[in-house]
Amino acid sequence: RFDLIIVDYHMPGMDGLQTIAIIRERVENSPEKLPVLLLHSSADDTLIKKACVELGVRNSLVKPVKARELHRLLASIDETGVPVRETPTRVTLQSEAVVASTKASRKITILIAEDVPMNMLLVKSMAKRLLPGAEILEAVTGLEAVQMALQHPVDLILMDVQMPEMDGLEATREIRTREERTGRRVPIVALTAGALDEERGKCKAAGMDFFLTKPLKSDALRGAFKLFLD
């Protein structure tokens, strides 16, 4: 058990926010039980504030960190792990996030089609924090995504383009073909590492409605939710 985790935002392979998201998902500890201190540069300030609210990160310091600031922050955390003080700005941001999440957390079912376990965990963690009341379905192949989309009343599909058995483009085309019989059309958002116009064109031609690049950012996913689920 740790009393505090100090995480740098800029790290290779997986940034600090993604690391925190996985820790929150796997350890399943609340911000009160496992406080996190995020270190970042001043240039990241706007992005950091929004992400910190979603991940329950109540403390952050701009680098280079001064010993006096670090000492003050450490001293503000009592033995239960709860910060003694929080600035009014952070409290306001947190309240707005809770209201937004509650508003969007009606009975919603989201299907995530992703074959890489780490990517699945990241997308699922972000989706849960943005829409706490949503039901999350998981598919690890394109074929499985097609079957689940037809068997469940899904409100939105997050579809990875590169998947085994049937890739995301093929899966989308199959879903669209079968939807012609029912008259119902579920929004499908592409998840891909390729940001080229050619890639976007292929996704649109297959019947996808939106396009998100990986590594997925929380703000981008929030925008997609707002566009298709509000």
Side-chain angles (χ1 to χ4, degrees):
R1 184 186 180 279
F2 294 95
D3 298 298
L4 176 69
I5 297 180
I6 301 177
V7 182
D8 183 33
Y9 173 58
H10 291 283
M11 291 190 292
M14 182 185 303
D15 66 38
L17 297 177
Q18 293 172 321
T19 302
I20 295 168
I22 292 178
I23 291 173
R24 291 283 191 235
E25 178 73 17
R26 292 191 174 180
V27 180
E28 296 182 350
N29 266 336
S30 65
E32 289 76 19
K33 292 182 179 179
L34 186 59
V36 174
L37 166 60
L38 186 67
L39 308 180
H40 63 94
S41 66
S42 58
D44 305 313
D45 198 50
T46 301
L47 171 65
I48 293 299
K49 284 184 178 179
K50 295 179 181 179
C52 283
V53 170
E54 295 163 8
L55 294 173
V57 179
R58 298 175 177 177
N59 302 284
S60 62
L61 287 178
V62 175
K63 298 187 297 183
V65 176
K66 295 181 175 61
R68 182 169 51 189
E69 292 178 348
L70 179 59
H71 182 271
R72 176 186 56 80
L73 190 144
L74 293 176
S76 73
I77 300 177
D78 63 20
E79 66 275 5
T80 65
V82 181
V84 176
R85 305 182 294 276
E86 291 185 7
T87 63
T89 302
R90 285 176 184 157
V91 173
T92 301
L93 285 171
Q94 189 172 6
S95 300
E96 292 173 352
V98 171
V99 171
S101 296
T102 303
K103 178 182 177 182
S105 297
R106 63 185 189 277
K107 293 182 180 179
I108 290 173
T109 301
I110 298 173
L111 171 59
I112 302 175
E114 169 65 66
D115 65 307
V116 179
M118 187 64 70
N119 291 341
M120 172 66 81
L121 180 60
L122 288 172
V123 178
K124 182 180 176 181
S125 177
M126 286 185 188
K128 279 186 173 183
R129 294 194 178 280
L130 292 172
L131 298 174
E135 178 183 4
I136 307 294
L137 304 178
E138 302 177 34
V140 296
T141 70
L143 182 59
E144 188 177 0
V146 173
Q147 294 170 343
M148 296 185 75
L150 299 175
Q151 294 170 359
H152 302 273
V154 177
D155 296 290
L156 178 69
I157 299 175
L158 301 175
M159 181 80 75
D160 181 35
V161 173
Q162 300 294 333
M163 284 190 298
E165 292 188 17
M166 179 186 290
D167 66 30
L169 301 178
E170 294 174 308
T172 298
R173 284 192 287 266
E174 183 64 23
I175 291 172
R176 294 298 182 224
T177 297
R178 300 195 186 192
E179 283 179 337
E180 293 176 358
R181 307 169 193 169
T182 63
R184 184 178 184 274
R185 192 179 194 279
V186 59
I188 300 179
V189 176
L191 303 178
T192 177
L196 301 176
D197 290 339
E198 181 181 354
E199 187 83 357
R200 293 174 183 267
K202 290 179 180 179
C203 292
K204 184 177 181 180
M208 292 177 166
D209 301 282
F210 205 64
F211 185 102
L212 294 177
T213 57
K214 295 191 291 185
L216 185 62
K217 301 297 182 184
S218 184
D219 281 350
L221 185 59
R222 184 194 292 109
F225 284 169
K226 184 174 180 60
L227 182 63
F228 295 108
L229 298 177
D230 269 5

